[in-house]
Amino acid sequence: MSRLNEATLAALPPAIVRPAYDRTKTRIGIVHIGAGAFHRAHQAVHIDDLLADDPDWAICGVSLRSADVRDALGPQDGLYTLALLGGNLSLRVIGAIRELLCAREEPQAVLARLADPAVRLVTLTITEKGYCLSGDALDLAHPDIAHDVASPQAPASAIGYVVAGLALRRAADIAPYTVLSCDNLADNGGRLRRAALQYAQAFDPDLARWIETEVAFPRSMVDSITPATDDALRERVAAQLGCADAWPVQREPYTQWVIEDHFCNARPAFERAGATISDDIAGYDHAKLRLLNAPHSALAYLGSLMGIETVADAMRQPALAGFVERLMRADIAPTLDAPRGFDPDAYTDAILARFRNPDIRHLLSQIAWDGSQKLPVRILGTIADALVAGRPIDRLCLPVAAWMRFVRRQARNGVALVDPLADTLSALDRTTAGDASAAVAAFLALDAMFAPMSGDERFVAALRDAYMALGDATPGAVSRALAAAGGTADV
Ligand code: CS2
């Protein structure tokens, strides 16, 4: 079977949507760090929408370590298929990525791109762990950051590359690029900015001052449910395309991108491609993280303990679906500092409908990855706010306790955790006995996750109760805990 690429593009069946512009006339204006499935299913599609009008914003996709994306899409001239999941599978070939680089193998090419004056925007999807934070600050002891501080011209981390590119531009008197985080972190731009400043400060205070005054790090909120690519998708795509695509991506039809209007260089006309430019982004990122991602993580850990595989299956369990809905409406929504015109009930309804979408096979195991990084930004902040406001936290603690039970179960069963703290987390299991207080205390000693709240007696007690309520974490025990926590949607 032939391969999707420039040569086979014209022969694709007419139902397949393809780039509405001449790719050879586009120029690279964006470097994207972290060219994984989410970027290719989300931001790259928005850019694909506007290249016909504005050809100067094609993307150079950079992977920091793995060459997999470059090696899969290189022979395809950067082309890949986006499958929209809903009723019929609708397919679209995306042409926005014109260049693919693997930083580990071609660091000079990445630095040269970053220094290119035609590049005016650097975007990132590096997941929570890519920011190398400990609490809110940059973890200067993180091996990648320590490496980069010692050799800033030959970086390994995303922050190292962003700052190295800025240093090259400053030295060559080229205007800096805007740095736009597209990760699921509250105040993602602010965190990235503080991390970049702290990093630069560690080896070049003048550079840090220049970044502080000259470079914009807007916040953004991204949303679209994007299940990992599997062979079933590859086969369906090949059958409809009539040629092979080594790495198609899939997502739900719904997509949202809200970007803070704060740029230090030219920007694409995002608003013409369905994104929202706003000066009131803070409320959006909180609402999304707390009302979508936190329930997702709750389903992931509670559902996995119950032996359920996907989000849609989890939503078919009345006790679990009821618990999550109640968590959203009664516990999370009231703590939100909602953006102007935001209706938490309608937002909750829409999210629950998206979770129920039977056409999406979104594995709970995928969402369960990186719990140590996700829980603080998704749910611990809500608990902290509820503690300050004197609101109940019992239900909010159940997903956190479920994560603890999940971690212990994986360690006991010898299943490797996908988490940057995997080694520490698996070791915890060996040092704590079956005693709930001791087990919870061992988790709470993880300062990077729990530092601001681990001394709060109400929190410690509620978490211990939730942990005990989950009993031996069998499906029956979890169902009983959900029932006891009020797994009914009447709020
Ligand atoms: C999910 C998110 O994998 C996860 O942790 O919660 O990727 C979620 O699907 C997206 O944020 C939706 O926009």
Side-chain angles (χ1 to χ4, degrees), residues 227-292:
T229 301
D230 54 16
D231 285 341
L233 178 70
R234 285 193 186 87
E235 281 160 26
R236 287 174 81 185
V237 166
Q240 290 199 31
L241 252 48
C243 61
D245 179 347
W247 207 331
V249 294
Q250 55 183 343
R251 68 159 164 83
E252 63 176 338
Y254 179 87
T255 177
Q256 191 178 21
W257 193 8
V258 188
I259 306 166
E260 186 182 20
D261 193 2
H262 178 46
F263 290 79
C264 59
N265 204 326
R267 69 164 174 87
F270 289 114
E271 52 279 66
R272 277 199 251 140
T276 306
I277 299 287
S278 168
D279 56 6
D280 181 28
I281 166 88
Y284 284 101
D285 59 6
H286 261 91
K288 194 262 172 164
L289 278 160
R290 292 183 172 198
L291 273 178
L292 187 149

Coordinates of all heavy atoms in Angstrom, one line a residue, residues 227-292:
P227 N -8.1 10.9 22.2 CA -7.6 9.6 22.6 C -6.4 9.2 21.8 O -6.2 9.6 20.7 CB -8.8 8.6 22.3 CG -10.0 9.5 22.1 CD -9.5 10.8 21.6
A228 N -5.5 8.5 22.5 CA -4.2 8.1 21.8 C -4.5 7.3 20.5 O -5.6 6.6 20.4 CB -3.4 7.3 22.7
T229 N -3.7 7.4 19.5 CA -3.8 6.7 18.3 C -3.6 5.2 18.6 O -2.7 4.8 19.3 CB -2.7 7.1 17.3 OG1 -2.9 8.5 17.1 CG2 -2.8 6.4 16.0
D230 N -4.5 4.3 17.9 CA -4.3 2.9 18.1 C -4.4 2.3 16.7 O -4.6 2.9 15.7 CB -5.3 2.3 19.0 CG -6.7 2.7 18.7 OD1 -7.0 3.1 17.5 OD2 -7.6 2.5 19.5
D231 N -4.1 0.9 16.6 CA -4.1 0.3 15.3 C -5.4 0.3 14.7 O -5.5 0.4 13.4 CB -3.6 -1.2 15.5 CG -2.1 -1.2 15.7 OD1 -1.4 -0.2 15.4 OD2 -1.6 -2.2 16.2
A232 N -6.5 0.3 15.5 CA -7.8 0.3 14.9 C -8.0 1.6 14.1 O -8.5 1.6 13.0 CB -8.9 0.3 16.0
L233 N -7.5 2.7 14.6 CA -7.6 4.0 13.9 C -6.7 3.9 12.6 O -7.2 4.3 11.5 CB -7.1 5.2 14.7 CG -7.1 6.5 14.0 CD1 -8.6 7.0 13.8 CD2 -6.4 7.6 14.8
R234 N -5.5 3.4 12.7 CA -4.6 3.3 11.5 C -5.3 2.5 10.4 O -5.3 2.9 9.3 CB -3.3 2.6 11.9 CG -2.4 3.5 12.6 CD -1.0 3.0 12.7 NE -0.2 3.8 13.5 CZ 0.0 3.7 14.9 NH1 -0.7 2.7 15.5 NH2 0.7 4.5 15.6
E235 N -6.0 1.4 10.8 CA -6.7 0.6 9.8 C -7.8 1.3 9.2 O -8.0 1.3 8.0 CB -7.1 -0.7 10.5 CG -5.9 -1.7 10.6 CD -6.2 -2.8 11.7 OE1 -7.4 -3.1 11.9 OE2 -5.3 -3.3 12.2
R236 N -8.7 1.9 10.0 CA -9.8 2.6 9.4 C -9.4 3.8 8.5 O -10.0 4.0 7.4 CB -10.7 3.2 10.6 CG -11.4 2.2 11.4 CD -12.1 2.8 12.6 NE -13.4 3.4 12.2 CZ -14.1 4.1 13.1 NH1 -13.7 4.3 14.3 NH2 -15.3 4.7 12.7
V237 N -8.3 4.5 8.9 CA -7.9 5.6 8.1 C -7.3 5.0 6.8 O -7.6 5.5 5.7 CB -6.8 6.4 8.8 CG1 -6.0 7.3 7.9 CG2 -7.5 7.2 10.0
A238 N -6.5 4.0 6.8 CA -5.9 3.4 5.6 C -7.1 3.0 4.7 O -7.0 3.2 3.4 CB -5.0 2.3 5.9
A239 N -8.1 2.3 5.2 CA -9.2 1.8 4.4 C -9.9 3.0 3.7 O -10.2 2.8 2.5 CB -10.2 1.0 5.2
Q240 N -10.0 4.1 4.3 CA -10.8 5.2 3.7 C -9.8 6.0 2.8 O -10.3 6.5 1.7 CB -11.4 6.1 4.7 CG -12.5 5.5 5.4 CD -13.5 6.5 6.1 OE1 -13.6 7.6 5.7 NE2 -14.1 6.1 7.2
L241 N -8.6 6.1 3.1 CA -7.6 6.9 2.3 C -7.2 6.1 1.1 O -6.8 6.7 0.0 CB -6.4 7.2 3.1 CG -6.1 8.7 3.6 CD1 -7.4 9.3 4.3 CD2 -5.0 8.7 4.6
G242 N -7.1 4.8 1.2 CA -6.5 4.0 0.1 C -5.0 4.1 0.2 O -4.3 3.6 -0.7
C243 N -4.5 4.7 1.2 CA -3.0 4.6 1.4 C -2.7 4.7 2.9 O -3.6 5.0 3.7 CB -2.3 5.8 0.6 SG -2.8 7.4 1.2
A244 N -1.5 4.4 3.3 CA -1.2 4.2 4.7 C -0.8 5.6 5.3 O 0.0 6.3 4.7 CB -0.1 3.2 4.9
D245 N -1.2 5.8 6.5 CA -0.8 7.0 7.3 C -0.2 6.4 8.6 O -0.9 5.7 9.4 CB -1.9 7.9 7.6 CG -1.5 9.1 8.5 OD1 -0.4 9.1 9.0 OD2 -2.4 10.0 8.6
A246 N 1.1 6.6 8.8 CA 1.8 5.9 9.9 C 1.3 6.5 11.3 O 1.4 5.8 12.3 CB 3.3 6.1 9.8
W247 N 0.8 7.7 11.3 CA 0.5 8.3 12.6 C -0.7 9.3 12.4 O -0.5 10.5 12.6 CB 1.6 8.9 13.3 CG 1.5 8.9 14.8 CD1 0.3 8.9 15.5 CD2 2.6 8.9 15.7 NE1 0.6 8.9 16.8 CE2 2.0 8.9 17.0 CE3 3.9 8.9 15.6 CZ2 2.7 8.8 18.2 CZ3 4.7 8.9 16.8 CH2 4.1 8.8 18.0
P248 N -1.9 8.7 12.1 CA -3.1 9.6 12.2 C -3.4 10.0 13.6 O -2.9 9.4 14.5 CB -4.2 8.7 11.6 CG -3.7 7.3 11.9 CD -2.2 7.3 11.9
V249 N -4.2 11.0 13.8 CA -4.7 11.4 15.2 C -6.2 11.4 15.2 O -6.8 11.6 14.1 CB -4.1 12.7 15.6 CG1 -2.6 12.6 15.8 CG2 -4.4 13.8 14.7
Q250 N -6.7 11.3 16.3 CA -8.2 11.3 16.4 C -8.6 12.2 17.6 O -7.9 12.4 18.6 CB -8.7 9.9 16.7 CG -8.1 9.2 17.9 CD -8.6 7.8 18.1 OE1 -9.6 7.4 17.5 NE2 -7.9 7.0 18.9
R251 N -9.8 12.8 17.4 CA -10.3 13.6 18.5 C -11.8 13.8 18.3 O -12.4 13.5 17.3 CB -9.7 15.0 18.6 CG -10.0 16.0 17.5 CD -9.7 17.4 18.0 NE -9.6 18.4 17.0 CZ -10.6 19.0 16.4 NH1 -11.9 18.7 16.7 NH2 -10.4 19.9 15.4
E252 N -12.5 14.2 19.4 CA -13.9 14.6 19.3 C -14.1 15.8 18.4 O -13.1 16.6 18.2 CB -14.4 14.9 20.7 CG -13.8 16.1 21.4 CD -14.3 16.5 22.7 OE1 -15.5 16.1 23.0 OE2 -13.6 17.2 23.5
P253 N -15.3 16.0 17.9 CA -15.5 17.2 17.0 C -15.3 18.5 17.8 O -14.8 19.5 17.3 CB -16.9 17.1 16.6 CG -17.2 15.6 16.7 CD -16.4 15.1 17.9
Y254 N -15.6 18.5 19.1 CA -15.5 19.7 19.9 C -14.1 20.2 20.1 O -13.2 19.4 20.4 CB -16.2 19.5 21.3 CG -16.1 20.7 22.2 CD1 -17.1 21.6 22.1 CD2 -15.0 20.9 23.0 CE1 -17.0 22.8 23.0 CE2 -14.9 22.0 23.8 CZ -15.9 22.9 23.8 OH -15.9 24.0 24.6
T255 N -13.9 21.5 19.9 CA -12.5 22.0 20.2 C -12.6 23.4 20.7 O -13.5 24.2 20.2 CB -11.6 21.9 19.0 OG1 -10.3 22.4 19.3 CG2 -12.1 22.5 17.7
Q256 N -11.8 23.8 21.6 CA -11.8 25.2 22.1 C -10.4 25.6 22.4 O -9.5 24.8 22.8 CB -12.6 25.3 23.4 CG -12.9 26.7 23.8 CD -13.7 26.9 25.0 OE1 -13.8 26.0 25.8 NE2 -14.3 28.0 25.2
W257 N -10.1 26.8 22.0 CA -8.7 27.4 22.3 C -9.0 28.9 22.6 O -9.4 29.7 21.8 CB -7.9 27.3 21.0 CG -6.4 27.5 21.2 CD1 -5.8 27.7 22.4 CD2 -5.4 27.6 20.2 NE1 -4.4 27.9 22.2 CE2 -4.2 27.8 20.9 CE3 -5.4 27.4 18.8 CZ2 -3.0 27.9 20.1 CZ3 -4.2 27.5 18.1 CH2 -3.0 27.8 18.8
V258 N -8.7 29.2 23.8 CA -8.8 30.6 24.3 C -7.4 31.1 24.6 O -6.6 30.5 25.3 CB -9.7 30.8 25.5 CG1 -10.0 32.2 25.8 CG2 -11.0 30.0 25.3
I259 N -7.0 32.2 24.0 CA -5.6 32.7 24.0 C -5.6 34.1 24.6 O -6.4 35.0 24.1 CB -5.0 32.7 22.6 CG1 -5.1 31.3 22.0 CG2 -3.5 33.1 22.7 CD1 -4.8 31.3 20.5
E260 N -4.8 34.4 25.5 CA -4.7 35.7 26.1 C -4.1 36.7 25.1 O -3.1 36.3 24.4 CB -3.8 35.7 27.3 CG -3.8 37.0 28.1 CD -2.8 36.9 29.3 OE1 -2.0 36.0 29.4 OE2 -3.0 37.8 30.2
D261 N -4.7 37.9 25.0 CA -4.2 38.8 24.0 C -3.0 39.5 24.5 O -3.0 40.7 24.9 CB -5.4 39.8 23.7 CG -5.1 40.7 22.5 OD1 -4.0 40.4 21.8 OD2 -5.9 41.5 22.2
H262 N -1.8 38.8 24.3 CA -0.6 39.4 24.9 C 0.6 38.8 24.1 O 1.0 37.7 24.3 CB -0.5 39.0 26.4 CG 0.7 39.4 27.1 ND1 1.2 40.7 27.0 CD2 1.6 38.8 27.9 CE1 2.3 40.8 27.7 NE2 2.6 39.6 28.2
F263 N 1.0 39.6 23.1 CA 2.0 39.1 22.2 C 3.1 40.1 22.1 O 2.9 41.3 22.1 CB 1.4 38.8 20.8 CG 0.5 37.7 20.7 CD1 -0.8 37.8 21.2 CD2 0.9 36.4 20.3 CE1 -1.6 36.7 21.2 CE2 0.1 35.3 20.3 CZ -1.2 35.5 20.7
C264 N 4.4 39.7 21.9 CA 5.5 40.6 21.7 C 6.0 40.7 20.3 O 7.0 41.3 20.0 CB 6.6 40.3 22.7 SG 7.3 38.7 22.4
N265 N 5.3 39.9 19.4 CA 5.7 39.9 18.0 C 4.4 39.6 17.2 O 3.3 39.4 17.8 CB 6.7 38.8 17.8 CG 7.6 39.0 16.5 OD1 7.1 39.6 15.5 ND2 8.8 38.6 16.6
A266 N 4.5 39.5 15.9 CA 3.2 39.3 15.1 C 2.6 38.0 15.5 O 3.3 37.1 16.0 CB 3.6 39.3 13.6
R267 N 1.3 37.8 15.3 CA 0.6 36.6 15.6 C -0.3 36.2 14.4 O -0.7 37.1 13.7 CB -0.1 36.7 16.9 CG -1.4 37.6 16.8 CD -2.3 37.4 18.0 NE -3.4 38.4 18.1 CZ -4.5 38.2 17.5 NH1 -4.7 37.2 16.6 NH2 -5.5 39.1 17.6
P268 N -0.6 34.9 14.3 CA -1.6 34.5 13.3 C -3.0 35.1 13.7 O -3.3 35.4 14.9 CB -1.7 33.0 13.4 CG -0.5 32.6 14.3 CD -0.2 33.8 15.1
A269 N -3.9 35.2 12.7 CA -5.3 35.7 13.0 C -6.1 34.5 13.6 O -7.0 34.0 12.9 CB -5.9 36.3 11.7
F270 N -5.7 34.1 14.8 CA -6.3 33.0 15.4 C -7.8 33.0 15.4 O -8.5 32.0 15.2 CB -5.9 32.9 16.9 CG -4.5 32.5 17.1 CD1 -3.6 33.4 17.7 CD2 -4.0 31.2 16.8 CE1 -2.3 33.1 18.0 CE2 -2.7 30.9 17.0 CZ -1.8 31.8 17.6
E271 N -8.4 34.2 15.6 CA -9.8 34.3 15.7 C -10.5 33.9 14.4 O -11.7 33.5 14.4 CB -10.3 35.7 16.2 CG -9.8 36.9 15.4 CD -8.4 37.3 15.9 OE1 -7.4 36.6 15.6 OE2 -8.2 38.4 16.4
R272 N -9.8 34.0 13.2 CA -10.4 33.6 12.0 C -10.4 32.0 11.9 O -11.0 31.5 10.9 CB -9.6 34.2 10.8 CG -10.1 35.6 10.5 CD -9.7 36.0 9.1 NE -8.6 37.0 9.1 CZ -7.6 37.0 8.3 NH1 -7.4 36.1 7.4 NH2 -6.7 38.0 8.5
A273 N -9.8 31.4 12.8 CA -9.7 29.9 12.7 C -10.4 29.3 14.0 O -10.0 28.2 14.4 CB -8.3 29.4 12.6
G274 N -11.4 30.0 14.5 CA -12.2 29.4 15.5 C -11.6 29.6 16.9 O -12.3 29.1 17.9
A275 N -10.5 30.2 17.1 CA -9.9 30.3 18.5 C -10.5 31.7 19.0 O -10.9 32.5 18.2 CB -8.4 30.3 18.5
T276 N -10.4 31.8 20.3 CA -10.9 33.1 20.9 C -9.7 33.8 21.5 O -8.9 33.2 22.3 CB -11.9 32.7 22.1 OG1 -12.9 31.9 21.6 CG2 -12.5 34.0 22.7
I277 N -9.6 35.1 21.2 CA -8.6 35.9 21.8 C -9.3 36.7 22.9 O -10.3 37.3 22.7 CB -8.0 36.9 20.8 CG1 -7.3 36.1 19.6 CG2 -7.0 37.8 21.4 CD1 -6.0 35.5 19.9
S278 N -8.7 36.6 24.1 CA -9.4 37.2 25.2 C -8.5 37.9 26.2 O -7.3 37.5 26.3 CB -10.2 36.1 25.9 OG -10.7 36.6 27.2
D279 N -9.0 38.9 26.9 CA -8.1 39.4 28.0 C -8.6 38.9 29.3 O -8.1 39.3 30.4 CB -8.2 41.0 28.0 CG -9.6 41.5 28.0 OD1 -10.5 40.7 28.2 OD2 -9.8 42.7 27.9
D280 N -9.5 37.9 29.3 CA -10.0 37.4 30.6 C -9.9 35.9 30.6 O -10.8 35.1 30.6 CB -11.5 37.8 30.7 CG -12.2 37.3 31.9 OD1 -11.5 37.1 32.9 OD2 -13.4 37.0 31.9
I281 N -8.6 35.4 30.5 CA -8.4 34.0 30.3 C -8.4 33.2 31.6 O -8.7 32.0 31.7 CB -7.1 33.8 29.5 CG1 -6.6 32.3 29.5 CG2 -6.0 34.7 29.8 CD1 -7.2 31.5 28.4
A282 N -8.1 33.9 32.7 CA -7.9 33.2 34.0 C -9.1 32.3 34.3 O -8.9 31.2 34.7 CB -7.7 34.2 35.1
G283 N -10.3 32.9 34.2 CA -11.4 32.1 34.5 C -11.6 30.8 33.6 O -12.0 29.8 34.1
Y284 N -11.2 31.0 32.4 CA -11.4 29.8 31.5 C -10.5 28.6 31.8 O -10.9 27.5 31.8 CB -11.1 30.2 30.0 CG -12.1 31.1 29.3 CD1 -11.9 32.4 29.2 CD2 -13.2 30.5 28.7 CE1 -12.9 33.2 28.5 CE2 -14.1 31.2 28.0 CZ -13.9 32.6 27.9 OH -14.8 33.3 27.2
D285 N -9.2 28.9 32.1 CA -8.4 27.8 32.4 C -8.7 27.1 33.7 O -8.7 25.9 33.8 CB -6.9 28.2 32.3 CG -6.4 29.3 33.2 OD1 -7.2 29.7 34.0 OD2 -5.2 29.7 33.1
H286 N -9.2 27.9 34.7 CA -9.6 27.3 35.9 C -10.8 26.4 35.7 O -10.9 25.3 36.2 CB -10.0 28.4 36.9 CG -8.9 28.6 37.9 ND1 -8.0 29.6 37.7 CD2 -8.6 28.1 39.1 CE1 -7.1 29.6 38.7 NE2 -7.5 28.7 39.6
A287 N -11.8 27.0 35.0 CA -13.1 26.2 34.7 C -12.8 24.9 34.0 O -13.3 23.9 34.4 CB -14.0 27.1 33.9
K288 N -11.9 25.0 33.0 CA -11.7 23.8 32.3 C -10.9 22.7 33.1 O -11.3 21.6 33.1 CB -10.9 24.2 31.0 CG -10.8 23.1 30.0 CD -9.6 22.3 30.0 CE -9.6 21.1 29.1 NZ -8.3 20.5 28.9
L289 N -9.9 23.2 33.8 CA -9.1 22.2 34.6 C -9.9 21.6 35.7 O -9.8 20.4 36.0 CB -7.9 22.9 35.2 CG -6.7 23.1 34.3 CD1 -5.8 24.2 34.9 CD2 -5.9 21.8 34.3
R290 N -10.7 22.4 36.3 CA -11.5 22.0 37.5 C -12.7 21.2 37.1 O -13.1 20.3 37.8 CB -11.8 23.1 38.4 CG -10.5 23.7 39.0 CD -10.8 24.8 40.0 NE -9.6 25.2 40.7 CZ -9.6 25.9 41.8 NH1 -10.7 26.3 42.4 NH2 -8.4 26.2 42.4
L291 N -13.4 21.7 36.0 CA -14.7 21.0 35.7 C -14.6 19.9 34.6 O -15.5 19.2 34.5 CB -15.7 22.1 35.2 CG -16.5 22.7 36.4 CD1 -17.5 23.8 35.8 CD2 -17.3 21.7 37.2
L292 N -13.5 19.9 33.9 CA -13.3 18.8 32.9 C -12.2 17.9 33.4 O -12.4 16.7 33.5 CB -13.1 19.4 31.5 CG -13.1 18.3 30.4 CD1 -13.5 18.8 29.1 CD2 -11.7 17.6 30.2

